[in-house]
């Protein structure tokens, strides 16, 4: 499988052109294991910082969809502190699931 590249990044997800054609691009180096920030390209704002590249990919893939509503995003290595533990935490499902299990 060949992934498209975008200015030295790798496109990890893309929505159909009919609904905006937004893309999620990773700028993480191969084998990177540190914190990752997801940046909304339209505003240059960090929308999340996660400690796992896999979780960052999940957030980015959702963020570009109409439900995510961030438009195109990019993933970068960062030294920033973690803001979310996982994709579920980011969309606030994790807290709801934990509350339901604990009740």
């Amino acid at each position: 499988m060949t992934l498209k590249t975008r200015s030295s990044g790798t496109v990890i997800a893309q929505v159909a052109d009919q609904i905006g054609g937004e893309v999620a691009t990773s700028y993480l180096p191969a084998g990177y294991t540190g914190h990752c920030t997801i940046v909304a390209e339209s505003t240059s704002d960090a929308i999340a910082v996660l400690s796992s590249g896999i979780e960052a990919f999940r957030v980015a893939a959702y963020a570009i969809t109409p439900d995510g509503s961030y438009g195109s995003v990019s993933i970068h290595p960062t030294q920033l502190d973690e803001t979310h533990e996982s994709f579920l935490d980011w969309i606030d499902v994790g807290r709801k699931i934990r509350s339901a299990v604990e009740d």
Side-chain angles (χ1 to χ4, degrees), residues 49-73:
V49 177
L50 296 108
S51 61
S52 162
I54 295 296
E55 291 300 319
F57 280 31
R58 290 177 178 146
V59 169
Y62 182 82
I64 66 172
T65 67
D67 287 337
S69 72
Y70 281 95
S72 292
V73 299

Side-chain angles (χ1 to χ4, degrees), residues 66-81:
D67 287 337
S69 72
Y70 281 95
S72 292
V73 299
S74 53
I75 305 170
H76 303 269
T78 188
Q79 297 298 316
L80 296 172
D81 290 335

Side-chain angles (χ1 to χ4, degrees), residues 2-3 6 8-9 12 18 27-28 30 34-35 37 43-44 48 59 63 65 68 76 82 84 87 93 98:
T2 303
L3 298 174
R6 229 177 125 196
S8 77
I12 60 149
Q18 294 85 345
Y27 293 95
L28 300 178
H35 285 181
T37 185
T43 62
S44 297
V59 169
T65 67
H76 303 269
E82 180 181 274
H84 300 85
F87 167 71
V93 171
R98 283 190 296 276

Side-chain angles (χ1 to χ4, degrees), residues 9-20:
T10 301
V11 175
I12 60 149
Q14 182 172 5
V15 297
D17 288 339
Q18 294 85 345
I19 57 171

